[in-house]
Amino acid sequence: MHVPDVSVVVIVYNDAERLPTAVRSVLDQTLHGVEVVIVDDCSQDRSFAVAQELEAAHPGRVRAFRLPENSGGCGAPRNHGIRQATGTYVMFLDSDDVLERNACRNMLDAAERTGSDLVSGMCVRVHLDNRWGKTTEWYPWIYSRTRTLESITEDPDLLVYDTLSTNKCYRRAFLLEQGLEFPVGIHYEDLLFSAQAYVAARRITLIPNHVYYWNVVEKSANKSISNRRHEIANFVHRMEIHRRVDELLAAKGFTEIKTAKDAKFLKHDLVLHLRDLPLLGDAYRQEFARLANGYLAGIDPAAYDNVTHLQAICAYLLGKEDWDNLLPAADAMINKGRLTSPLAERDGRVYWCAAHIDDPADTEARRILDVTEQGFHTTPLSSLTLGNRLTSYEDDGRGSVTLAGTVVNPLGRIAPESELKASLEFRARRQVGVRSFSFPVESVRHAGDTIEWRGTADIGSTVRPLGIIDAVWDVRLKLTAGSDRLTTRVSTGGLDLESAARLRVRPRLTRLVSDRFEPEVTKKGNLSYVLIAEGPAAVRAQALISGAMHGRTAGVVKKTLRRALRARRNLGSGEQKVKVYHEVFSKLPIKKGTVVFESHMGKQYSDSPKAIYEEMVRQGVAFEAVWSYAGGKPTGFPKEATLVRRWSWPYLRALAQAEFWIDNQGFPLALAKRPGTTYIQTWHGSALKRMGFHEPRTKAQGRAAQDRFQAAVNRFDHFLVRSEHDVRTLAKGFRLRDEVLLRTGYPRNDALVEAHRAETQSGERVRGPLAAELDIDPAKKVLLYAPTFRANADGAVEGFEFPFDVEEFADRLGDRFTLLVRTHYLNSVSLPPSVAGRVVDVSGYHDITPLLALADGLITDYSSVMFDYAVLDRPMLFFAYDYDTYAGDIRGTYFDLKEKAPGPVVATADELFQAIAVFDEADAKYAEARQRFLTEFGEYDRGDAARQIVEKFFTRSGK
């Protein structure tokens, strides 16, 4: 008898309807040597009957089994499946999910090629109730490429994060030899089984292919076992599984994996349950704390360094059973960006709360509760999202509700003398027609760490929903404190609304469909209202509508409605906008003299596009300027220009009809440039790191992706370069023809060339108005610290962390130097109050050129700003604390910085401080190196780049 290559164990319980789809995904595999082993966990519906029907329809390929009694979990049916399987390899599939069509083939090929005991591929979560067809790859960074591990210690992330059993293929002999089985009678069995398999496997192969589609219904009334987090037994099981995994790792001596697993427990497993704490009672909380704290006592302290500040704070406060401070912290964690604590300040540092930090016996309190780096004390008050907790809820049983609450006043930043005004806003979540209704708040006053408010909303006579479309309404408090205007969501704060009355409303369309507002607590713990039907007429109307939607004409009605909704939904989608751009806007005539400017994808009014624009204005060029901006309200852009939001309809139309495009990074890749439009690409810096087609990442992409990238750079009619180094690197990396290159230098550097020329001729440094604006001490030298862009391991933007102690800098060198800190525009920074005046954050200045002109010296790492600053012939220091990692990473560099750097290259903070201390010596020592550096990397920066561009393209002499 032929032995199947792969046995797929499909487990089922009360899922007769979906079982055939799961089985079909196995039978339709491109690998033919696959058998299906269905194990029914003693279902009460027709699941086993359906399994038998599938067995009869596919003899020899499908076998069906039934457990004598329900096991209550996934472990027992999977174990039975392993025993019944006859294939060389075994996989697992749940009855509500499906396999990718090539899953078995891809996994078998990898296993046979490498001799691995275990092969794992990428799982994809399919959100079935998401109308946009949302899918999410499960920890995709783990599966970025094919690789084989000789031990799980080579990549602990695999055991820590991907603990699913279903996206894997196991050698059956391996499972039997090792005696690997799922635990029975306990939930979260995947965590333990996967850990045991990872640890026992002699070889593990990972493949980047999608293999398993995990179907998810977020709004299901029947939550899965693992999602019933309000049941304390759920947490009991989770803790027990984690203890067993810890025992396994300890037995194997895998301490590094244990530390990584502990960090994941703090930022994932524990967080899942902390999210629900504000909504649960005291009895649950006390039992939860007892169980959690017993486990937290064994957590590696180093794990706290690898989680977010709120995750660490919540775990710490849970250990103290400090509910008064923990529940606000949990609320802040649920509602990202919300500040729910009044904070405390000690010795120039800011802490989440005042509790515990003054206890000399508690050595961890200040370290964990320190939130200085979050910048809550320096961020403008109007930019903070303050926590607003409901303290009372009263209704009159008809249509009026009285709400009272408290808004956090962090560090007393809303001063007692600030005049307070407030209003309650009821806002439709789906904004159609009238979007909101406001009610003045009768009482709002200062109350120490909070602002207390109380107001009544006569919803019944004022709020007029449409009645069908705008079914959910959120509640906000709008607070004016002096010159600051703050908007906050109203959190229920665990207040019990079970007995709250339904409020009468008068929908504008008809009261036959809905006539009541029912208070509801959202997933994030905020107050909202849902339109429902309560009156007899409304209930009958809903029944009639429901019946009609199942009648003979329902199909036509539904189809028409779906088409209309789809058209409306797609109107603002990126795909639809690109289509309209090409098929409609690009057919409109080009408007002569229209120039669209963009800097750093609309984030700034800066750089060479700004220099060209201002030169055009100086020369009196007749043109229509359009500047793009990204995000909210644009700031700093010229008032004379037309401003358009990036990716808006006016933006697309402006690009389609423009005579010129000028930017320094790249207009959207999906938008083709018309033949009548001239694209001047100024770019934003010479290259140290490899770019474009020189990047291994780009080379590894498929042909289609490379063709799209090539088409995007082929839009450049002109590309500015500042040296032959740019020609050899950037131009080659983008595969640009030589006739596209303009050897003009960078317009943004014209001001630096002029500053250096004036300084050389006069022998004097003129600091200008920016020094006064920043309150720079004229007796001190100014250093600018401008590091390159930083991201986390996933490539996501994160807050900037100093690689040296700024307080130590201020103490050691602050009497001689003022340090300006200017992070990359994608990063952010927060300075401690103790360094005020000696270290200054200038990241908010979009245009770096005036900062470069002001600085007596530059400190950087690998930023292209080094090439621009070289024009000034002033000292540079290179703090390359991670040089080997940076220079030797997968992307690579064009030259060795250590060989060509026109200044000291240091690797530690102490070396940096020593180099700054002998600043003047470095100035003279590296003078010749700076000249060589400028000759090689800035030979075309002569101070007239903007004038050359304007005369070539925009004045009569040039056209």
Side-chain angles (χ1 to χ4, degrees), residues 241-362:
I241 286 292
H242 274 282
R243 287 190 184 92
R244 294 188 192 182
V245 174
D246 290 346
E247 290 172 0
L248 172 69
L249 297 178
K252 295 293 183 180
F254 290 165
T255 54
E256 291 185 7
I257 297 180
K258 172 65 164 60
T259 301
K261 176 185 168 295
D262 284 348
K264 192 244 187 177
F265 176 82
L266 292 175
K267 61 187 179 183
H268 175 70
D269 300 85
L270 186 61
V271 166
L272 288 176
H273 292 267
L274 287 174
R275 291 168 64 94
D276 297 326
L277 277 187
L279 308 178
L280 298 170
D282 289 340
Y284 179 95
R285 293 173 190 167
Q286 291 172 4
E287 181 64 9
F288 174 78
R290 185 187 68 80
L291 293 167
N293 289 333
Y295 185 78
L296 287 172
I299 290 284
D300 185 346
Y304 286 88
D305 297 329
N306 297 311
V307 300
T308 69
H309 70 284
L310 272 174
Q311 290 163 353
I313 287 169
C314 284
Y316 171 82
L317 294 173
L318 177 62
K320 297 291 184 180
E321 296 190 39
D322 181 354
W323 303 109
D324 289 340
N325 289 303
L326 171 57
L327 294 181
D331 185 15
M333 192 163 53
I334 297 167
N335 295 275
K336 188 176 181 181
R338 182 181 292 178
L339 175 59
T340 57
S341 172
L343 307 178
E345 188 171 0
R346 298 285 191 281
D347 305 320
R349 304 296 293 178
V350 178
Y351 299 92
W352 180 258
C353 57
H356 317 297
I357 59 176
D358 295 322
D359 181 359
D362 192 340

Side-chain angles (χ1 to χ4, degrees), residues 663-675:
D663 91 307
N664 67 348
Q665 194 155 341
F667 289 108
L669 303 184
L671 305 181
K673 182 185 69 69
R674 298 174 67 179

Side-chain angles (χ1 to χ4, degrees), residues 788 790 861-862 879-888 906-907:
T788 193
R790 297 286 174 179
D861 43 17
Y862 322 106
F879 186 27
Y881 56 91
D882 56 352
Y883 182 77
D884 291 337
T885 300
Y886 188 91
V906 297

Side-chain angles (χ1 to χ4, degrees), residues 893-937:
T893 58
Y894 284 115
F895 62 88
D896 188 341
L897 179 63
K898 290 183 177 180
E899 291 182 2
K900 297 195 175 186
V905 180
V906 297
T908 67
D910 193 56
E911 290 175 350
L912 173 65
F913 294 153
Q914 290 179 27
I916 296 173
V918 292
F919 179 79
D920 293 332
E921 294 179 18
D923 187 359
K925 180 179 179 180
Y926 286 90
E928 292 185 7
R930 290 200 301 271
Q931 286 301 314
R932 289 195 300 271
F933 194 79
L934 178 62
T935 299
E936 181 172 358
F937 299 110

Side-chain angles (χ1 to χ4, degrees), residues 358-507:
D358 295 322
D359 181 359
D362 192 340
T363 58
E364 290 295 293
R366 291 204 173 195
R367 182 178 71 86
I368 294 176
L369 296 175
D370 192 328
V371 293
T372 308
E373 306 305 323
Q374 306 308 311
F376 295 132
H377 56 297
T378 57
T379 301
L381 197 59
S382 58
S383 298
L384 291 175
T385 303
L386 300 182
N388 183 1
R389 185 175 62 86
L390 205 61
T391 55
S392 73
Y393 182 101
E394 303 169 10
D395 58 65
D396 63 0
R398 298 185 297 275
S400 181
V401 62
T402 299
L403 307 176
T406 59
V407 178
V408 167
N409 184 7
L411 300 174
R413 293 185 60 187
I414 302 177
E417 62 272 16
S418 299
E419 182 182 357
L420 302 176
K421 296 179 181 179
S423 62
L424 279 170
E425 179 190 61
F426 287 71
R427 186 181 183 87
R429 193 172 295 174
R430 179 176 290 182
Q431 298 173 0
V432 182
V434 178
R435 298 183 175 188
S436 64
F437 296 88
S438 293
F439 303 88
V441 168
E442 300 93 14
S443 171
V444 54
R445 67 184 186 87
H446 295 274
D449 289 339
T450 63
I451 303 297
E452 293 183 350
W453 60 270
R454 183 180 181 87
T456 299
D458 187 1
I459 293 174
S461 61
T462 307
V463 177
R464 299 295 308 279
L466 283 174
I468 299 175
I469 300 174
D470 49 352
V472 182
W473 289 66
D474 297 314
V475 183
R476 291 173 170 82
L477 181 81
K478 293 198 167 184
L479 173 66
T480 300
S483 59
D484 291 309
R485 295 183 178 182
L486 313 170
T487 299
T488 66
R489 282 294 301 273
V490 177
S491 167
T492 58
L495 206 64
D496 185 9
L497 301 182
E498 288 292 329
S499 59
R502 296 170 174 178
L503 306 175
R504 295 178 183 175
V505 290
R506 295 185 301 149

